[in-house]
């Protein structure tokens, strides 16, 4: 008789856990408090982003996750685009960082492009003052809103996963989980609750180095005439945001300049990227504020700063904004990429992936369920 498992939460971490369990023969039930996932997993760029990960285990995990994404999205008949990424350089110190990164990253499919080659790669790049760009072939874009809705259909139809929606689990006493008078039992329980880490095992989470991050984002309307931007686009500020670029020796110098030239941007954790979905819409962001509780109100000046900086490296056929929002995700305070805890026998918590959820979850959860996970 096959083993059973309950997964609490149908965001990307919960879905990745459910897939890892189901492919290993478990009878899996996913229980989600809302009628569909509406948290951080649908409020992001949809970027599967290996270039942001440092060399070694995290980079390999990102590539593994990407391969699972392709398998699942193909099975779910969902759109994805393997267009790679461009990080533009408009100052000599930015160009030095990307040249150094490319030089020490022989294991990655990256190259430094001239200004001319960059403009050929994407018609959306701002040519004014452009020195060149780093092109990476690794990155893939999914539409998070479509994907996070499509993956459950795939898991249900292809792998026999059961989904219970509109049901908040408020208590666990292994092997049973409770929602009011309703209860379910399983051999293993996985808590993948994202930013809601106050409800289940609150003492465990309170003792962990976790906080929350609020990000403001925007979406531009579908571009006219089916116009495509090609790769995901990034400005120089993204070079100091992702750990992968720490391999470049001159990165501290670039960061020091930004601390002077872009002090207000760094205060609000702003770096700017743009990705285009299958409908032609362009997602732009983002900012980063850290706390356990946030005001529910977005700051218009942050959106203005994001759009102003976007204009330094990208120009679109239509710049019309038709949606703005914010997302909140859990974030480790100790520099780790995730937290995996066992609060009691038979129960596993997977949380804290921060902005790496879309990039790493499928790989991480495959390791945790498969017994190969090692904390980095």
């Amino acid at each position: 008789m096959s083993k059973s498992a309950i997964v609490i939460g149908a965001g990307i971490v919960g879905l990745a856990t459910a897939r890892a369990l189901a492919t290993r023969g478990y009878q899996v039930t996913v229980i989600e408090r809302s009628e569909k996932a509406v948290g951080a997993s649908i409020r992001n760029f949809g970027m599967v982003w290996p270039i942001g990960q440092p060399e070694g285990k995290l980079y390999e995990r990102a590539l593994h996750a990407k391969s699972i994404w392709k398998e699942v999205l193909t099975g779910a008949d969902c759109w994805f685009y393997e267009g790679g990424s461009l990080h533009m350089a408009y100052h000599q110190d930015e160009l030095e960082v990307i040249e150094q990164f490319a030089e020490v990253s022989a294991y990655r499919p990256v190259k430094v492009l001239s200004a001319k080659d960059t403009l050929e790669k994407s018609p959306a790049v701002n040519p004014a003052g452009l020195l060149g760009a780093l092109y990476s072939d690794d990155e893939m874009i999914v539409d998070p809103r479509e994907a996070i809705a499509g993956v459950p259909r795939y898991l249900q139809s292809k792998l026999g996963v059961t989904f219970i929606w509109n049901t908040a689990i408020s208590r666990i006493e292994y092997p049973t989980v409770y929602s009011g008078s309703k209860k379910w039992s399983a051999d293993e329980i996985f808590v993948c609750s994202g930013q809601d880490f106050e409800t289940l095992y609150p003492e465990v989470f309170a003792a962990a180095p976790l906080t929350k991050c609020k990000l403001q984002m925007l979406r531009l309307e579908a571009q006219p005439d089916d116009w495509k931007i090609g790769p995901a686009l990034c400005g120089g500020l993204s070079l100091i945001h992702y750990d992968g670029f720490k391999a470049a020796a001159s990165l501290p110098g670039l960061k020091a300049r930004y601390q002077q030239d872009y002090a207000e941007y760094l205060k609000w954790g702003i770096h700017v990227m743009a990705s285009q979905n299958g409908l032609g819409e362009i997602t732009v962001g983002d900012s980063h504020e850290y706390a356990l509780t946030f005001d529910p109100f977005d700051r218009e000046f942050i959106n203005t700063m994001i759009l102003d900086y976007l204009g330094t490296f990208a120009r679109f056929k239509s710049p019309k904004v038709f949606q703005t929002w914010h997302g909140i995700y859990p974030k480790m305070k100790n520099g780790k990429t995730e937290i995996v805890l066992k609060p009691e026998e038979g129960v596993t918590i997977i949380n804290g992936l921060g902005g790496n959820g879309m990039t790493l979850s499928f790989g991480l959860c495959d390791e945790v369920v498969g017994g190969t996970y090692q904390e980095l």
Side-chain angles (χ1 to χ4, degrees):
M1 185 175 177
S2 60
K3 294 182 74 175
S4 59
I6 289 171
V7 178
I8 298 169
I12 184 57
V13 178
L15 296 177
T17 302
R19 179 219 162 258
L21 289 160
T23 56
R24 290 168 171 83
Y26 281 77
Q27 290 295 118
V28 183
T29 300
V30 178
I31 305 177
E32 164 60 41
R33 68 188 310 156
S34 305
E35 66 178 24
K36 59 182 179 179
V38 294
S41 297
I42 68 163
R43 305 187 193 192
N44 58 74
F45 292 99
M47 292 173 167
V48 183
W49 208 243
I51 196 168
Q53 303 302 321
E55 179 179 2
K57 181 63 178 177
L58 290 175
Y59 176 65
E60 295 302 322
R61 182 181 290 168
L63 294 182
H64 180 47
K66 178 184 171 184
S67 70
I68 296 174
W69 263 120
K70 291 168 64 175
E71 169 196 319
V72 170
L73 292 175
T74 299
D77 196 26
C78 287
W79 175 90
F80 63 91
Y81 177 58
E82 295 181 83
S85 65
L86 281 172
H87 289 73
M88 269 64 73
Y90 292 87
H91 295 84
Q92 191 61 39
D93 51 2
E94 294 168 345
L95 187 63
E96 286 177 9
V97 167
I98 65 175
E99 287 175 340
Q100 290 170 358
F101 178 82
E103 187 176 342
V104 300
S105 301
Y107 58 95
R108 299 181 190 246
V110 299
K111 58 183 175 180
V112 178
L113 302 182
S114 67
K116 177 177 179 293
D117 290 342
T118 302
L119 297 172
E120 289 179 358
K121 184 68 76 170
S122 171
V125 173
N126 183 351
L130 178 67
L131 298 180
L134 178 74
Y135 173 71
S136 168
D137 196 45
D138 273 334
E139 288 64 57
M140 183 173 86
I141 304 299
V142 308
D143 186 333
R145 305 175 194 190
E146 178 193 35
I148 299 301
V151 172
R153 295 195 300 269
Y154 167 83
L155 295 178
Q156 191 168 2
S157 63
K158 298 297 199 312
L159 296 177
V161 175
T162 299
F163 284 84
I164 300 172
W165 305 96
N166 282 323
T167 302
I169 298 301
S170 57
R171 182 164 56 101
I172 298 176
E173 294 178 6
Y174 179 81
T176 306
V177 304
Y178 296 86
S179 178
S181 61
K182 298 178 181 178
K183 61 182 180 179
W184 299 263
S185 298
D187 296 312
E188 296 187 35
I189 299 168
F190 290 82
V191 179
C192 306
S193 52
Q195 65 151 318
D196 175 25
F197 48 70
E198 294 89 357
T199 302
L200 300 170
Y201 301 104
E203 299 91 347
V204 173
F205 279 111
L210 269 173
T211 187
K212 298 180 185 181
C213 179
K214 175 184 176 182
L215 312 93
Q216 288 186 205
M217 303 188 71
L218 312 93
R219 184 166 281 192
L220 310 187
E221 68 178 1
Q223 298 297 290
D225 305 319
D226 199 31
W227 187 74
K228 304 296 187 187
I229 72 171
L233 306 178
C234 306
L237 287 172
S238 296
L239 298 173
I240 67 170
H241 182 78
Y242 288 105
D243 285 348
F245 291 106
K246 290 180 178 177
S250 63
L251 188 68
L254 178 63
K255 187 171 185 178
R257 177 172 72 82
Y258 285 163
Q259 285 168 341
Q260 289 197 342
D261 294 356
Y262 291 104
E264 193 69 8
Y265 279 77
L266 300 188
K267 174 184 175 182
W268 296 102
I270 295 173
H271 75 114
V272 183
M273 314 165 80
S275 65
Q276 189 173 34
N277 66 17
L279 302 174
E281 301 161 346
I282 299 173
T283 302
V284 177
D286 53 6
S287 58
H288 298 77
E289 301 174 58
Y290 299 95
L292 288 175
T293 303
F294 298 97
D295 290 336
F297 316 110
D298 290 347
R299 295 176 166 91
E300 183 61 27
F301 75 85
I302 286 181
N303 289 345
T304 299
M305 290 172 70
I306 288 171
L307 291 173
D308 286 349
Y309 189 80
L310 175 70
T312 67
F313 68 86
R315 294 177 178 176
F316 305 127
K317 279 204 169 185
S318 172
K320 183 180 178 182
V321 175
F322 83 104
Q323 289 179 337
T324 65
W325 67 93
H326 72 260
I328 297 175
Y329 57 55
K331 175 72 174 177
M332 301 297 294
K333 295 190 291 185
N334 60 358
K336 299 285 187 180
T337 314
E338 74 283 324
I339 192 166
V340 178
L341 301 170
K342 292 189 176 294
E344 60 177 303
E345 187 63 34
V347 179
T348 303
I349 293 169
I350 308 176
N351 207 314
L353 277 88
N356 296 305
M358 300 296 272
T359 299
L360 296 178
S361 292
F362 273 119
L364 168 67
C365 298
D366 206 46
E367 294 170 25
V368 172
V369 173
T372 62
Y373 171 74
Q374 293 182 321
E375 183 179 355
L376 299 178

